[in-house]
Amino acid sequence: MNKNGKISASMMCSSFDILSDTIHLFEEENIDYLHIDVMDGNFVTNIGYGTSYVEFIRSVTDIPLDIHLMITNPKDKLTWFGLQPSDIVSLHVESCKDIKTVVERVKSYGCKCTVAINPVTPVDVLEEIYLTADGVNILHVTPGFAGQKAVEGTMEKTGDVIDKINELKLTDYIIETDGNITFERAKILREMGVNMFVAGSSSIFKGDISEYRENIRKLRESIM
């Protein structure tokens, strides 16, 4: 995962009326993952992208899924999503009483599990989980809605997490960033060591579908 920057396309930014066309375009452009934000209206103040949506996406494409569970009690709901070995699942440290147990439960499906952390959450909470998880997902915006500006200090926070990962000598570790990932921020983050980028309205979904290919290529240049 460290050799090349990966793109995880944020599907909450895709219009439903062109969803199939968008996925087909992503297949042609070799998008690495489709990022699915699962929101329960409790952990975040938004609802969307539940089990039927995940099932539909699986039925129309072989692009692996990057499932971001923004829900309470995720351990009790993992069976709902038909988890596959090709998936990456992000769990929020803020939503789990025993994060290690839930990470291990996700990994029992054969897929990778990353731990997501909100902008206001101190990085110290990750100390107990670095060695159990397959990676981290550092949010640069408050989760729940697309199109937000990055929270101040999130770049520095990302650097702190990467320093710890390097200190622990964790190789092939997923270092994902999510929220207001512009082309310019992506380039800086890639140079810092980030290797997976959730791409939404600030990059590949800018403009209409006729601009997506060029946006994808521009982002790839930023994260080489």
Side-chain angles (χ1 to χ4, degrees), residues 94-114:
E94 302 90 355
S95 73
C96 301
K97 292 180 180 178
D98 183 357
I99 186 69
K100 276 189 175 181
T101 298
V102 190
V103 168
E104 289 167 352
R105 180 74 61 85
V106 170
K107 292 173 70 170
S108 73
Y109 289 88
C111 54
K112 293 187 180 298
C113 185
T114 62

Side-chain angles (χ1 to χ4, degrees), residues 5-186:
K6 305 290 186 183
I7 296 176
S8 185
S10 182
M11 298 308 292
M12 72 184 299
C13 299
S14 178
S15 299
F16 282 104
D17 59 335
I18 56 168
L19 183 57
S20 294
D21 291 338
T22 300
I23 291 173
H24 181 62
L25 184 153
F26 286 167
E27 289 173 333
E28 292 181 340
E29 292 296 325
N30 297 309
I31 286 292
D32 302 288
Y33 289 91
L34 300 182
H35 186 88
I36 313 296
D37 287 303
V38 180
M39 302 171 284
D40 64 0
N42 188 351
F43 182 69
V44 296
T45 55
N46 197 1
I47 296 174
Y49 307 97
T51 54
S52 296
Y53 184 83
V54 172
E55 185 178 356
F56 169 75
I57 295 294
R58 290 196 194 283
S59 73
V60 298
T61 186
D62 291 327
I63 300 176
L65 302 189
D66 174 26
I67 303 173
H68 184 183
L69 295 180
M70 294 183 277
I71 59 178
T72 56
N73 302 317
K75 182 177 71 170
D76 300 331
K77 300 161 185 171
L78 296 177
T79 58
W80 299 359
F81 297 98
L83 297 179
Q84 304 293 319
S86 58
D87 294 340
I88 296 173
V89 177
S90 279
L91 300 169
H92 269 270
V93 67
E94 302 90 355
S95 73
C96 301
K97 292 180 180 178
D98 183 357
I99 186 69
K100 276 189 175 181
T101 298
V102 190
V103 168
E104 289 167 352
R105 180 74 61 85
V106 170
K107 292 173 70 170
S108 73
Y109 289 88
C111 54
K112 293 187 180 298
C113 185
T114 62
V115 176
I117 183 171
N118 286 340
V120 298
T121 302
V123 298
D124 294 352
V125 301
L126 295 172
E127 290 286 342
E128 64 170 318
I129 199 62
Y130 280 116
L131 299 179
T132 304
D134 297 298
V136 294
N137 180 6
I138 308 152
L139 271 70
H140 286 210
V141 301
T142 301
F145 295 91
Q148 300 180 64
K149 296 298 183 184
V151 175
E152 187 176 350
T154 46
M155 295 289 275
E156 292 80 4
K157 186 174 187 177
T158 302
D160 291 341
V161 173
I162 292 172
D163 287 345
K164 186 63 179 183
I165 291 167
N166 291 335
E167 178 186 325
L168 294 170
K169 296 181 170 57
L170 296 174
T171 58
D172 296 321
Y173 209 66
I174 300 167
I175 307 173
E176 183 173 18
T177 50
D178 183 354
N180 192 223
I181 306 302
T182 64
F183 302 114
E184 295 78 13
R185 285 175 68 87

